[in-house]
Amino acid sequence: MHVLLVGAGLSGAVIGRRLAEAGIDVTIVEARDHVAGNCHTERCTETGVMMHVYGPHIFHTDDEEVWNYVNRFAQFLPFKNRVKTTSKGQVFSLPINLHTINQFYRKTMRPDEAREFIEQQADTSITDPQTFEEQALRFVGPDLYEAFFKGYTIKQWGVQPSELPASILQRLPVRFNYEDNYFFHKFQGMPQDGYTAMVERILDHDGITVHLSTPFSRSQAGNYDHVFYSGPLDGWFDYELGHLGYRTLDFERFTYDGDYQGCAVMNYGEESVPYTRITEHKHFSPWESHDKSVLYREYARACAPDDIPYYPIRQVKEKALLADYVSHAQQESHVTFVGRLGTYRYLDMDVTIREALDTAATFLAQGPDTPLFSNPPL
Ligand code: UDP
């Protein structure tokens, strides 16, 4: 049996490895000149710092099997994501925690007092928040919403928070203690030599052949028993029904002699600052020491056809087009659409790996009867 994987990101590498271990002949085509997709890391020749080339990726999960899996291929070192945000001329701690609340309101509340205080700020008439804005007003109230979320979200998504789903904000907790780890997962860390080295090790198997700088064309599919496609779903169909909307990112790179901001991620909550955040990459590898520093100012905007798609927008208009593509896809056979782009979903790395492991297991058990999508896009 000979299987083609389109894309050498996390989905492609994990599925490819599992199939190769089962004795299947695996070919992977990757359009870029490197593996690891958007979690690609590369050492900066000017500063020596390990760069997160397509923006920051921090590994965090509650899934022990996924954690054990990544640790098979990389040495993970402890990393806590302690994000700061600048708003109204001050620096605050994120996600919103007791320190943020006390600092913002110039108070010295204990946890229960802060909980009660925030409940008084909140709009309790909202019983079932549907939008990002309703979720924010219900759980933190207008002051914190406007300082930390409103401007940032307008910049990030290009629409009003009243037009976005509550699920986007539900990614962020509100804490009534001083815990400022951005994520609250059992396992969290960074691969010592970067994500690209990890993905290269996953792909290092006799049964896997990787072709870099090789764009996929659908005419190749017929040469294989099955294709796992991790490219954009609409791309498979040559965009014949139109383009699914994404946000893309522009990174304005700059260097600094020393420590520019003292942390890895500094968000900018206000709309008047044109970028959403500045990332200082040496702080993603705290076990290394570098005199020089390299940073990205991050700007989000609508994704044009030649840009790199990052965040699926998934508003009403996009979901309608997605539904059309999903029904179009029902006519396809011998293909499985996988990962963030293949299923048009906002996926964290651990979820991507979990779905890839499950998809590979399903394929080994069911062969061509494997579902068309690693997970339903809608
Ligand atoms: N967000 C915000 N202010 C912040 C950080 C996040 O308004 O300082 C909102 C924003 O809409 C973002 C969402 O919360 O898209 C989820 O944030 P997360 O940090 O998970 O985004 P990611 O790191 O995936 O870009």
Side-chain angles (χ1 to χ4, degrees):
M1 172 151 15
H2 196 177
V3 162
L4 178 69
L5 280 130
V6 181
L10 288 175
S11 296
V14 170
I15 294 171
R17 177 73 185 210
R18 187 71 199 87
L19 300 190
E21 283 171 349
I24 294 175
D25 206 358
V26 172
T27 296
I28 304 188
V29 289
E30 166 56 58
R32 291 172 173 169
D33 63 1
H34 61 77
V35 301
N38 279 1
C39 64
H40 172 54
T41 45
E42 192 176 283
R43 219 168 260 291
C44 169
T45 48
E46 190 185 344
T47 61
V49 169
M50 187 63 87
M51 301 273 301
H52 289 219
V53 178
Y54 302 94
H57 283 75
I58 295 134
F59 202 90
H60 53 96
T61 190
D62 275 333
D63 188 327
E64 194 158 357
E65 195 186 332
V66 167
W67 181 244
N68 290 339
Y69 184 86
V70 292
N71 276 273
R72 234 177 97 192
F73 299 101
Q75 167 86 41
F76 273 74
L77 294 179
F79 181 84
K80 293 262 160 45
N81 195 23
R82 301 195 195 282
V83 177
K84 305 289 175 235
T85 185
T86 297
S87 188
K88 297 178 187 281
Q90 271 184 275
V91 175
F92 297 95
S93 163
L94 280 185
I96 291 177
N97 62 67
L98 193 47
H99 205 168
T100 324
I101 298 166
N102 274 330
Q103 199 190 350
F104 188 86
Y105 288 105
R106 298 176 173 274
K107 292 190 180 288
T108 57
M109 293 178 283
R110 293 183 299 103
D112 290 347
E113 294 166 338
R115 205 181 284 274
E116 201 175 305
F117 178 81
I118 291 296
E119 196 61 12
Q120 284 159 13
Q121 313 300 310
D123 183 345
T124 48
S125 70
I126 302 169
T127 48
D128 182 19
Q130 295 297 315
T131 69
F132 185 109
E133 184 171 70
E134 285 174 0
Q135 176 80 11
L137 294 174
R138 171 63 190 87
F139 289 100
V140 298
D143 303 343
L144 294 169
Y145 164 57
E146 277 175 29
F148 301 132
F149 299 136
K150 191 173 178 185
Y152 187 100
T153 297
I154 291 171
K155 290 186 284 185
Q156 172 76 5
W157 293 98
V159 292
Q160 293 299 316
S162 54
E163 295 171 52
L164 290 166
S167 60
I168 293 180
L169 185 57
Q170 283 159 0
R171 291 172 57 83
L172 306 187
V174 177
R175 303 210 185 101
F176 294 98
N177 57 33
Y178 288 97
E179 177 59 58
D180 64 350
N181 186 354
Y182 203 69
F183 304 113
F184 200 65
H185 281 135
K186 209 162 20 160
F187 308 106
Q188 185 171 324
M190 282 287 194
Q192 183 169 20
D193 300 320
Y195 291 99
T196 297
M198 176 180 89
V199 173
E200 281 168 354
R201 288 199 59 198
I202 297 175
L203 292 167
D204 183 13
H205 188 284
D206 285 346
I208 303 178
T209 311
V210 181
H211 300 282
L212 296 178
S213 308
T214 307
F216 167 72
S217 114
R218 232 165 93 197
S219 59
Q220 292 166 257
N223 304 332
Y224 298 87
D225 297 297
H226 198 85
V227 179
F228 290 90
Y229 178 82
S230 70
L233 174 61
D234 48 0
W236 175 270
F237 298 100
D238 297 322
Y239 307 98
E240 63 183 76
L241 306 176
H243 281 80
L244 287 166
Y246 282 91
R247 298 293 284 173
T248 191
L249 299 174
D250 291 324
F251 300 112
E252 189 177 83
R253 178 188 176 280
F254 65 104
T255 56
Y256 184 77
D257 225 350
D259 187 358
Y260 181 79
Q261 62 183 18
C263 64
V265 183
M266 174 66 77
N267 290 354
Y268 287 84
E270 286 158 321
E271 204 181 343
S272 54
V273 177
Y275 37 88
T276 51
R277 57 186 177 183
I278 298 181
T279 49
E280 184 160 22
H281 294 237
K282 67 180 174 184
H283 295 304
F284 290 121
S285 308
W287 57 90
E288 294 186 0
S289 116
H290 300 276
D291 294 334
K292 287 191 171 163
S293 199
V294 55
L295 301 98
Y296 278 169
R297 283 190 199 93
E298 201 171 307
Y299 301 80
R301 63 176 170 81
C303 187
D306 290 333
D307 293 324
I308 299 172
Y310 283 84
Y311 298 92
I313 296 178
R314 294 184 68 92
Q315 284 186 268
V316 175
K317 178 165 72 91
E318 287 79 16
K319 278 195 172 166
L321 182 57
L322 176 62
D324 290 343
Y325 273 118
V326 168
S327 57
H328 211 30
Q330 305 303 328
Q331 287 143 35
E332 300 292 310
S333 58
H334 303 290
V335 59
T336 304
F337 298 94
V338 300
R340 177 177 60 95
L341 299 173
T343 64
Y344 192 61
R345 285 174 308 140
Y346 191 167
L347 291 187
D348 285 334
M349 289 184 284
D350 62 325
V351 180
T352 307
I353 293 175
R354 159 54 52 207
E355 292 186 6
L357 289 169
D358 291 347
T359 300
T362 306
F363 183 73
L364 291 174
Q366 300 179 14
D369 294 334
T370 301
L372 204 50
F373 292 96
S374 57
N375 226 73
L378 285 161

